[in-house]
Amino acid sequence: MKAFVVEKYGKDGARAAEVPEPAVGDRDVLVKVSAASINPLDKMVRNGEFKQLLKYKTPFVLGHDVAGVVTRVGSAVHGIEVGDEVYARPRDLRVGGFAEFIAIDVDDVAPKPASLTLQEAAAVPLVALAAWQILVERARVKPGQKVLVHAGAGGLGSTVIQLAKHLGATVATTTGTATEELVRSLGADVVVDYTKEDFSKLLSGYDLVLDSVGGANLEKSLTVLRPGGLAISVVGPPDANFAKQLGAPAVLGLVMNTLSRKIRKQAKGLGVRYQFFFMQANGSQLRKLGALYDSGKLRPVIDSTFPFERTLEAMAHVEQGRTKAGKVVVSMEPDNG
């Protein structure tokens, strides 16, 4: 089958290749891929940023989001049948959405939301799971709380705005001038144009800040939190819990804690908390999220669609910051340009 594989770690390490169709285990479903989408995580994995923790053996197929049609099921699979339209964020070490077929553990798969096309559904899993795991599981956001989401027009930010509003929060976001209207339409109550204003001078008393920018932006984010408030970053620096989550040796946990010592110390000095976040595959959560898409509480935001043959171009489009809003989708359908 055709696929896009990481041959070696680094910026030029991915290429198109012919690879064998994946083997299907007892608990696997084989999915004929209709569409996939690009995530910043694809670049990070390609570049080897997590190679001490996620030990992929090169060459491996890249791609963390997928939607398609089930063509075969393992002997221990129940509740998913051949012909079903599904979507998934396959678990780490088993990714591979940039291919004609992928074998996915049944626990990671959910029926595609009926209201979405396969191309729209491919834009959803990773960002929707991240939003759910941050807002519902980690921060336990309640009605009336205040949430600041950075980069609100992005794939993750646009999803977090919608889910936070659904949970009853007051939502602020940072974005550029061109996407102010979009983030308001998604439910943002307060919009800060980062090209003109400094959010840290305008906002205060927030319960949660979600940072996907890092660096000085993360440090400033600590200052807008109420006492005891929580800043969560998806770009780092990582902490010991990340190593623990991935089952890494304790010594790597110490390394992670060293990397995040400065920001954790700053947070403690301000009486607030800092945590790194790395999402996990979860089919049952995708089922709950699917219901929210079908009820109109959530909607995907798609920047552009590329044909499958141009997957590397699609990745470059995201890497070079050319995305205006939302996700970039790669489609197997021949008519997409």
Side-chain angles (χ1 to χ4, degrees):
M1 67 173 183
K2 292 175 186 155
F4 287 86
V5 302
V6 175
E7 210 166 37
K8 61 181 192 298
Y9 286 123
K11 186 167 171 44
D12 302 317
R15 67 174 183 88
E18 284 284 339
V19 299
E21 275 190 28
V24 181
D26 290 348
R27 295 189 43 76
D28 292 346
V29 297
L30 185 68
V31 177
K32 186 178 192 299
V33 178
S34 298
S37 69
I38 313 292
N39 292 285
L41 186 56
D42 296 312
K43 177 194 80 168
M44 295 163 93
V45 169
R46 181 203 65 197
N47 289 354
E49 290 182 32
F50 298 125
K51 64 184 177 187
Q52 300 302 322
L53 294 163
L54 295 174
K55 297 189 181 296
Y56 286 97
K57 292 184 176 69
T58 54
F60 62 91
V61 183
L62 200 55
H64 289 79
D65 271 329
V66 65
V69 180
V70 175
T71 59
R72 203 187 323 163
V73 298
S75 58
V77 169
H78 304 287
I80 298 280
E81 297 177 356
V82 171
D84 285 356
E85 293 185 331
V86 296
Y87 72 148
R89 190 295 205 188
R91 63 190 56 186
D92 297 308
L93 302 180
R94 292 202 63 186
V95 302
F98 301 157
E100 292 182 289
F101 291 91
I102 179 173
I104 311 173
D105 188 293
V106 69
D107 286 347
D108 302 345
V109 173
K112 173 189 77 65
S115 60
L116 302 183
T117 66
L118 284 160
Q119 283 69 35
E120 289 169 334
V124 166
L126 187 147
V127 293
L129 285 170
W132 182 274
Q133 290 166 17
I134 289 166
L135 296 173
V136 176
E137 293 191 320
R138 187 78 70 92
R140 297 189 176 93
V141 169
K142 296 175 182 61
Q145 289 191 315
K146 293 165 68 176
V147 174
L148 167 60
V149 186
H150 286 296
L156 178 59
S158 61
T159 311
V160 172
I161 289 171
Q162 295 175 78
L163 186 57
K165 281 302 289 183
H166 172 65
L167 295 171
T170 296
V171 183
T173 193
T174 57
T175 198
T177 312
T179 44
E180 271 193 55
E181 203 173 305
L182 170 69
V183 296
R184 287 191 195 281
S185 77
L186 296 172
D189 300 289
V190 180
V191 180
V192 179
D193 183 339
Y194 71 85
T195 67
K196 300 172 184 172
E197 301 168 306
D198 181 345
F199 73 89
S200 65
K201 292 186 168 62
L202 299 171
L203 307 177
S204 62
Y206 277 72
D207 298 278
L208 173 69
V209 178
L210 174 59
D211 172 66
S212 56
V213 181
N217 195 77
L218 173 58
E219 292 180 17
K220 285 202 294 188
S221 294
L222 299 176
T223 68
V224 308
L225 289 165
R226 63 161 175 79
L230 175 63
I232 291 179
S233 177
V234 295
V235 292
D239 55 22
N241 281 334
F242 177 44
K244 189 175 172 186
Q245 178 181 324
L246 296 181
V251 66
L252 271 175
L254 295 173
V255 172
M256 298 291 161
N257 260 356
T258 302
L259 291 172
S260 58
R261 181 181 291 149
K262 180 186 171 192
I263 195 73
R264 288 186 294 109
K265 188 177 176 185
Q266 285 174 306
K268 192 175 180 184
L270 291 164
V272 300
R273 295 170 293 147
Y274 166 77
Q275 293 175 7
F276 176 69
F277 173 81
F278 191 81
M279 59 78 56
Q280 292 179 292
N282 191 310
S284 63
Q285 288 176 359
L286 280 179
R287 287 173 185 263
K288 292 176 186 171
L289 286 155
L292 292 177
Y293 282 92
D294 282 341
S295 68
K297 299 285 193 301
L298 301 178
R299 64 179 171 94
V301 177
I302 294 176
D303 173 83
S304 51
T305 304
F306 286 73
F308 175 66
E309 306 78 56
R310 292 170 56 200
T311 295
L312 296 182
E313 279 181 62
M315 283 189 69
H317 182 87
V318 174
E319 250 177 276
Q320 292 160 9
R322 285 153 57 198
T323 311
K324 293 181 181 68
K327 296 287 294 290
V328 171
V329 172
V330 170
S331 175
M332 290 290 188
E333 304 299 319
D335 292 328
N336 285 286

